[in-house]
Amino acid sequence: MRFMLLFSRQGKLRLQKWYTATAERDKKKMVRELMQVVLARKPKMCSFLEWRDLKIVYKRYASLYFCCAVEEQDNELITLEVIHRFVELLDKYFGSVCELDIIFNFEKAYFILDEFLMGGEIQDTSKKSVLKAIEQADLLQEVRKLPHNMLCF
Amino acid sequence: MSPSVRLQEMIRVIRSARTQGEERGVIQRECAAIRAQFRQADNGGRSHNLAKLLYVHMLGYPAHFGQMECVRLIASPRYNEKRVGYLGAMMLLDENQDASLLITNSIKNDLAHSSQYVQSLALCTLACMGSAEMCRDLAPEIDRLLRASSSYIKKKATLCAVHIVRKVPELGELFTPAARALLAEKNHGVLHGAVILITELCERNAQTLVQFREAVPELVHIMRGLVTSGYSPEHTVAGISDPFLQVRILRLLRILGRNNDTASDAMNDLLAQVATNTDSSKTAGSAVLYETVLTVMDIKSESGLRVLAVNILGRFLLNNDRNIRYISMTSLQKIVSTDHNAVQRHRGTIVDCLKDQDASVKRRALELSLALVSAINIRSMMKELLLFLSTCPPELKSHAASGIFNAAERYSPSQRWHIDTILHVLITAGADVRDETVPNLIQLITNASQLHCYTVHKLYRALVADISQQPLVQVACWCIGEYGDSLLQGDCEETEPIQVTEDDILDALETVLQSHMSSPATRGFALTATMKLTSPRQRGEGGRIRSIVSIYGSCMDVELQQRAVEYNALFKKYDHMRAAVLEKMPVMDRSSMGQTNGESGGGGVQELEPTKPKQPEMMVAPQPASQVGGGEGGGAVFLYIVYYGMVTMDPSVAPAAVTVYDKSGVVLKLSCERPLDASQTITLTATNTSDHDVSSLTLQAAVPKNVQLQMKAPSGDSLPARSSAVVTQTVLLNNPNKVGPGWAGTPG
């Protein structure tokens, strides 16, 4: 996966994760263009489109568009499943997630994403273990200072 | 969670800003506050300030001053600060920033941290934004983690290794042994990462690929376990056991089985099993089936298996889910050249997809349909394609038009059908066709001599109906110019008769000339066509035509003006040459055309019709010549000779000597010798029948860029009186590209 974007129907970016080194200026341009292209699509249309030399897989959940850019040899259908899995994780964590949750807790959304995907690939195919790890990390955040002999799980 | 309140408060304030200006104001204030906070010593709120900055960054505002703060926070002993620091690093620092190197040491320390969550942060950041240098530095650490750590860390280290291999392929060798061992893991996460790592290693190094071929049985075993195992709630999605892992393994098998019989044999049964047993009612199952099909088609599989795969794709084509239809067409596209017949069986469904609402599906269907056109199905396919062309979205029109032309050229059952098809395309999508369509069509028409009457009737009708499609208008004008006599005759066996008078034709051409929709090239076509109608075989009446042509003698467009002036000259002084010049164009040969139609051409004397005339046509438009002085030294005589036409290759033609100047007893003749290849020799012969000598006779010649000129020395430079001697001069013309219009020569 090259990058993942979350944006609202009004064209506001809610999350962006880039897995390849891209200049800031180029990122902005690509985001703008891609948002335009995806937002122009009608509801019943195909979830896949070709944009520049990339394959774009997107899906709309309520008011948010989840949009991934994958390589030529990647499987688009499984990418749809990856997006769905991420939504399920957010849902479980926030309890019936909505766009506002992601706006006001954007850093947590990133933490969840970083526990789920790394370098554009899935880390763990088990929903349960991803959620457990996030829970544990959150607990750790409450502790003021890390003790030296922290137990590993 | 109380600590984030200040961040959430800021977000609320920003969101409540009513205008862009107000928002900017709020953000400027916040950024100023954040900057001030950064400069202070540690006050417990550092992570919140950075988080605020990251939010502002996401809105699109500059946040580079936070980079050093990220570096500082990463080095903090507190987990919450580290977490935000690493997040900031991933968002603000990329390998192009210098500050990114500063965190290498922190990452190194954190990789060895006692808390696995800290290790996780470091691994994640390295995998996200690690530069080649950082990767080189830390690769040994990653390798260590691959071998001896918990599953939690192993799975992350594997993906980090994937990133390193992508960035610095040479380091792949370092990870190969560890990767091999990881296949024995039971943890799905680690296994998934391991398969990805092995895939990357094999793709980049041929030797590693050979090495890992030995792992095929192991992979098959794992896969079989997944497919036949019972329900595992943790990993199952829609009834499929861990589709993510299955897809990954299938992809690795594809790479290992490619071009290798042994490996392909080993996986054959498994692939058949997966293909038959996987339930594709949901996306997860379809994803696995899709990957299976891709693998089957890419390795050396048995024919039975291939048929099975194509059938799966055929089933996908009928699926209600648009995504699946799209996927299936993408795959069919990849195999249409190798398994053509198998794909042909699904032609009906594919053609139906041309009518789908979705533009992506339409595009795929178009590509596939064009690939499936053959001599047998050309008529029915063309019907569908032409129907598609009239309703397709604008971005596909050009591609569809050129595809149709190619198909028509390869498989057209008859010339008439071919011409009809091209005309249909021009009428429907004329604006989107490529430039060379016009010359190609013209060449086609001239070759179909029995269809001239039919063609010109059809084109005339089309022209009268609509003059907005430039290529169509150009072809129509050309045909009317050439075959206008058939049009005037009125009856034609292949189409209904129509009463057309000369005035009607001229009306149509005039409309084209005057319309603002006509491009300059089109006007050129129309003007020449008008002129051609005066040719005796067309029985054109000169008066109206002359007036039309002379109007353009003062046209703003230089090209048109030049033509009009020359044509006018044909009426006035060179009436005797008019018939010859306006002869019907001969049949053209494809190879002589090296030029697109006038649209794209540059300056110079434009070639109106790509042509290979049987004789060099010459036209002379004289300009006022200063008198040949009586007496010695006489004035210079200027002649402006315009020579249209190309070097002819036809050896049967005996080029005639043409008199180009005949005044006051001085006669200049130009004769062309039989040409060889692309060169032509022209001899100028000057004779003087007057009573006075002419001295200082020189020939100057200019040629367009594509023609090379070589002038030999004249035999003399003075013409004695009363034809007692002649002066000759030879000029060699070389036209290596066999294109190009004319040249101008001036004897001085």
Side-chain angles (χ1 to χ4, degrees):
Chain A
M1 196 186 294
R2 291 264 187 104
F3 58 83
M4 181 191 274
L5 302 174
L6 260 74
F7 51 88
S8 70
R9 273 214 60 80
Q10 286 76 41
K12 290 261 167 107
L13 193 62
R14 298 299 176 206
L15 192 148
Q16 58 174 331
K17 189 79 186 182
W18 295 77
Y19 293 109
T20 46
T22 327
E24 193 65 41
R25 200 180 51 233
D26 294 332
K27 280 187 198 172
K28 285 205 173 125
K29 187 153 169 246
M30 287 167 89
V31 168
R32 224 183 13 245
E33 269 181 46
L34 194 51
M35 283 210 281
Q36 255 179 352
V37 172
V38 173
L39 288 173
R41 306 267 290 181
K42 298 195 206 58
K44 286 277 172 62
M45 287 174 108
C46 193
S47 285
F48 313 130
L49 56 102
E50 279 140 42
W51 178 77
R52 300 198 184 183
D53 61 331
L54 293 170
K55 295 202 279 197
I56 305 291
V57 180
Y58 75 94
K59 191 141 190 235
R60 185 177 153 194
Y61 287 86
S63 59
L64 272 181
Y65 281 89
F66 286 70
C67 187
C68 297
V70 295
E71 311 270 358
E72 180 64 38
Q73 60 271 39
D74 285 331
N75 185 327
E76 294 99 318
L77 291 172
I78 210 75
T79 313
L80 271 180
E81 286 297 314
V82 169
I83 292 177
H84 191 72
R85 177 57 68 88
F86 181 44
V87 172
E88 284 179 328
L89 289 169
L90 288 170
D91 197 48
K92 213 55 197 286
Y93 182 83
F94 287 109
S96 267
V97 68
C98 64
E99 194 185 339
L100 285 174
D101 288 322
I102 300 186
I103 295 172
F104 282 95
N105 300 291
F106 75 96
E107 81 276 19
K108 298 203 184 67
Y110 273 103
F111 295 148
I112 296 172
L113 183 61
D114 286 337
E115 190 62 43
F116 175 51
L117 294 177
M118 191 193 281
E121 310 285 352
I122 285 192
Q123 293 179 37
D124 202 321
T125 53
S126 155
K127 205 168 31 173
K128 204 169 72 172
S129 62
V130 176
L131 284 168
K132 187 156 151 244
I134 297 170
E135 214 178 305
Q136 296 291 343
D138 278 347
L139 282 177
L140 208 53
Q141 196 155 303
E142 299 294 311
V143 177
R144 286 223 117 233
K145 199 161 181 167
L146 290 162
H148 287 289
N149 53 348
M150 185 75 203
L151 283 169
C152 288
F153 286 86
Chain B
M1 301 183 75
S2 46
S4 303
V5 149
R6 275 172 289 168
L7 164 65
Q8 295 190 337
E9 194 49 47
M10 183 195 82
I11 296 177
R12 199 166 290 127
V13 171
I14 291 176
R15 278 169 63 77
S16 60
R18 263 160 294 166
T19 66
Q20 183 81 332
E22 207 179 314
E23 182 184 285
R24 239 178 289 138
V26 169
I27 289 181
Q28 265 172 358
R29 275 199 306 277
E30 285 292 339
C31 283
I34 293 170
R35 267 185 142 119
Q37 299 270 22
F38 283 170
R39 274 185 291 238
Q40 285 176 14
D42 177 11
N43 54 9
R46 286 160 70 189
S47 58
H48 304 306
N49 287 320
L50 185 58
K52 282 197 233 172
L53 184 61
L54 293 177
Y55 182 78
V56 163
H57 171 76
M58 196 158 64
L59 289 177
Y61 294 89
H64 43 270
F65 56 88
Q67 287 174 6
M68 284 316 291
E69 188 66 10
C70 293
V71 176
R72 257 177 264 133
L73 280 180
I74 288 174
S76 155
R78 294 194 198 114
Y79 180 70
N80 59 340
E81 289 182 351
K82 264 196 206 292
R83 218 180 185 191
V84 178
Y86 274 118
L87 180 63
M90 287 191 271
M91 284 174 83
L92 300 178
L93 295 173
D94 59 33
E95 60 184 38
N96 302 322
Q97 314 285 353
D98 296 325
S100 63
L101 290 173
L102 296 171
I103 63 174
T104 312
N105 209 36
S106 297
I107 294 182
K108 192 164 188 182
N109 293 335
D110 284 338
L111 282 176
H113 201 278
S114 47
S115 159
Q116 64 177 4
Y117 297 104
V118 174
Q119 285 176 304
S120 158
L121 289 176
L123 285 166
C124 188
T125 308
L126 183 59
C128 179
M129 47 74 74
S131 67
E133 270 180 60
M134 288 163 74
C135 289
R136 260 187 268 266
D137 277 341
L138 299 167
E141 292 297 312
I142 305 298
D143 189 51
R144 196 176 53 80
L145 289 172
L146 274 180
R147 292 166 197 280
S149 52
S150 65
S151 307
Y152 181 76
I153 293 298
K154 258 196 211 153
K155 76 188 183 201
K156 293 180 188 260
T158 333
L159 289 178
C160 198
V162 169
H163 173 85
I164 293 178
V165 169
R166 284 178 183 160
K167 267 277 186 271
V168 189
E170 303 88 63
L171 289 171
E173 286 173 17
L174 176 63
F175 295 121
T176 309
R180 185 75 182 80
L182 284 171
L183 275 183
E185 291 279 330
K186 291 278 172 276
N187 180 301
H188 281 225
V190 180
L191 210 46
H192 186 266
V195 172
I196 299 179
L197 180 57
I198 296 173
T199 311
E200 290 290 329
L201 291 172
C202 292
E203 271 176 345
R204 283 161 217 282
N205 187 321
Q207 278 160 334
T208 321
L209 177 63
V210 171
Q211 208 181 328
F212 274 105
R213 279 216 181 99
E214 293 157 34
V216 169
E218 213 173 322
L219 287 165
V220 168
H221 179 77
I222 298 171
M223 189 71 190
R224 197 162 265 142
L226 285 172
V227 173
T228 54
S229 74
Y231 178 68
S232 149
E234 226 180 302
H235 299 116
T236 305
V237 177
I240 311 285
S241 272
D242 207 339
F244 304 106
L245 183 56
Q246 285 197 33
V247 164
R248 272 295 168 183
I249 294 180
L250 285 167
R251 191 159 143 186
L252 178 55
L253 286 175
R254 179 155 83 237
I255 294 171
L256 295 174
R258 207 178 269 157
N259 292 328
N260 185 291
D261 289 317
T262 337
S264 304
D265 282 339
M267 50 180 93
N268 213 54
D269 288 341
L270 169 73
L271 292 171
Q273 193 181 3
V274 176
T276 19
N277 291 347
T278 310
D279 171 25
S280 61
S281 51
K282 293 284 170 68
T283 313
S286 303
V288 172
L289 269 183
Y290 175 46
E291 198 73 31
T292 314
V293 167
L294 288 178
T295 303
V296 167
M297 301 316 287
D298 215 7
I299 63 171
K300 297 206 174 244
S301 45
E302 289 174 359
S303 56
L305 194 53
R306 287 183 94 88
V307 168
L308 182 58
V310 177
N311 286 345
I312 292 178
L313 288 179
R315 242 178 33 230
F316 277 179
L317 265 183
L318 299 165
N319 196 307
N320 283 331
D321 188 341
R322 201 170 259 135
N323 293 337
I324 307 230
R325 285 210 294 275
Y326 178 89
I327 289 292
S328 121
M329 284 198 279
T330 317
S331 326
L332 285 171
Q333 186 76 38
K334 292 192 189 131
I335 62 172
V336 74
S337 41
T338 49
D339 295 77
H340 192 93
N341 292 331
V343 183
Q344 278 282 6
R345 252 179 273 137
H346 302 283
R347 189 164 44 92
T349 328
I350 294 171
V351 166
D352 280 338
C353 287
L354 281 172
K355 305 188 188 92
D356 196 298
Q357 299 290 347
D358 185 318
S360 316
V361 173
K362 272 197 170 105
R363 182 194 298 268
R364 288 266 149 258
L366 174 65
E367 297 268 4
L368 256 184
S369 304
L370 289 173
L372 288 176
V373 173
S374 73
I376 312 163
N377 57 33
I378 179 73
R379 282 190 195 264
S380 51
M381 284 298 275
M382 195 49 81
K383 250 203 305 261
E384 297 287 345
L385 286 169
L386 288 173
L387 190 60
F388 173 72
L389 188 64
S390 44
T391 54
C392 79
E395 62 266 15
L396 289 177
K397 270 207 158 99
S398 158
H399 186 70
S402 43
I404 290 176
F405 284 150
N406 285 338
E409 209 171 290
R410 292 222 299 267
Y411 302 113
S412 62
S414 73
Q415 277 184 325
R416 176 174 159 170
W417 184 93
H418 195 172
I419 290 178
D420 276 342
T421 309
I422 299 188
L423 286 180
H424 193 136
V425 174
L426 286 181
I427 294 173
T428 346
D432 298 296
V433 298
R434 280 205 298 260
D435 289 338
E436 56 261 23
T437 313
V438 172
N440 284 347
L441 179 56
I442 289 177
Q443 187 253 331
L444 195 65
I445 293 174
T446 51
N447 276 322
S449 43
Q450 72 281 15
L451 290 170
H452 286 166
C453 182
Y454 168 75
T455 314
V456 74
H457 271 88
K458 263 200 109 163
L459 281 169
Y460 175 73
R461 261 188 264 264
L463 185 67
V464 167
D466 172 24
I467 58 167
S468 60
Q469 307 274 38
Q470 299 303 298
L472 182 66
V473 173
Q474 285 171 4
V475 176
C477 288
W478 191 91
C479 282
I480 291 175
E482 292 293 307
Y483 314 121
D485 48 347
S486 339
L487 198 57
L488 288 170
Q489 267 165 19
D491 56 332
C492 172
E493 67 223 18
E494 304 205 18
T495 173
E496 7 171 305
I498 172 176
Q499 279 296 77
V500 181
T501 66
E502 198 197 299
D503 275 327
D504 290 333
I505 303 182
L506 286 176
D507 280 340
L509 289 174
E510 243 188 320
T511 321
V512 172
L513 277 170
Q514 288 164 357
S515 162
H516 61 276
M517 286 190 281
S518 303
S519 70
T522 311
R523 289 211 177 94
F525 271 90
L527 193 59
T528 308
T530 313
M531 216 24 219
K532 281 241 160 160
L533 288 175
T534 67
S535 149
R537 64 185 164 84
Q538 312 251 34
R539 294 164 292 154
E541 185 254 291
R544 185 172 169 193
I545 295 181
R546 270 189 85 156
S547 54
I548 295 177
V549 170
S550 56
I551 290 174
Y552 284 87
S554 46
C555 172
M556 289 297 280
D557 185 291
V558 176
E559 177 58 36
L560 278 178
Q561 190 189 97
Q562 183 175 346
R563 278 182 219 260
V565 166
E566 286 157 1
Y567 291 153
N568 251 331
L570 261 186
F571 278 121
K572 290 193 210 143
K573 294 244 172 173
Y574 295 92
D575 222 30
H576 58 277
M577 292 175 75
R578 189 155 52 91
V581 173
L582 296 177
E583 266 291 315
K584 206 168 184 168
M585 282 295 189
V587 174
M588 292 171 222
D589 182 10
R590 220 22 182 324
S591 59
S592 71
M593 292 200 253
Q595 205 171 345
T596 58
N597 72 0
E599 310 274 18
S600 53
V605 181
Q606 218 43 295
E607 181 166 54
L608 181 54
E609 299 108 9
T611 162
K612 215 178 48 158
K614 284 213 162 70
Q615 65 213 47
E617 298 173 25
M618 298 165 91
M619 253 170 57
V620 176
Q623 282 173 4
S626 51
Q627 50 280 39
V628 173
E632 60 302 304
V637 173
F638 291 102
L639 264 188
Y640 183 74
I641 303 178
V642 177
Y643 171 79
Y644 272 106
M646 274 168 45
V647 173
T648 175
M649 287 275 286
D650 191 340
S652 62
V653 172
V658 182
T659 307
V660 298
Y661 184 83
D662 183 354
K663 199 167 179 182
S664 311
V666 179
V667 177
L668 297 173
K669 284 200 172 105
L670 283 181
S671 68
C672 312
E673 309 230 319
R674 197 162 299 170
L676 302 152
D677 287 329
S679 61
Q680 171 114 344
T681 315
I682 299 181
T683 314
L684 170 77
T685 314
T687 46
N688 180 3
T689 52
S690 73
D691 288 339
H692 306 277
D693 294 342
V694 171
S695 57
S696 315
L697 183 76
T698 53
L699 174 71
Q700 294 166 353
V703 293
K705 284 200 267 264
N706 46 310
V707 179
Q708 294 159 4
L709 174 70
Q710 193 187 5
M711 296 180 68
K712 305 274 172 121
S715 61
D717 71 340
S718 58
L719 278 176
R722 285 175 228 108
S723 309
S724 41
V726 295
V727 170
T728 55
Q729 185 166 14
T730 315
V731 173
L732 274 172
L733 290 179
N734 196 9
N735 192 349
N737 299 323
K738 283 189 277 197
V739 298
W743 53 274
T746 60

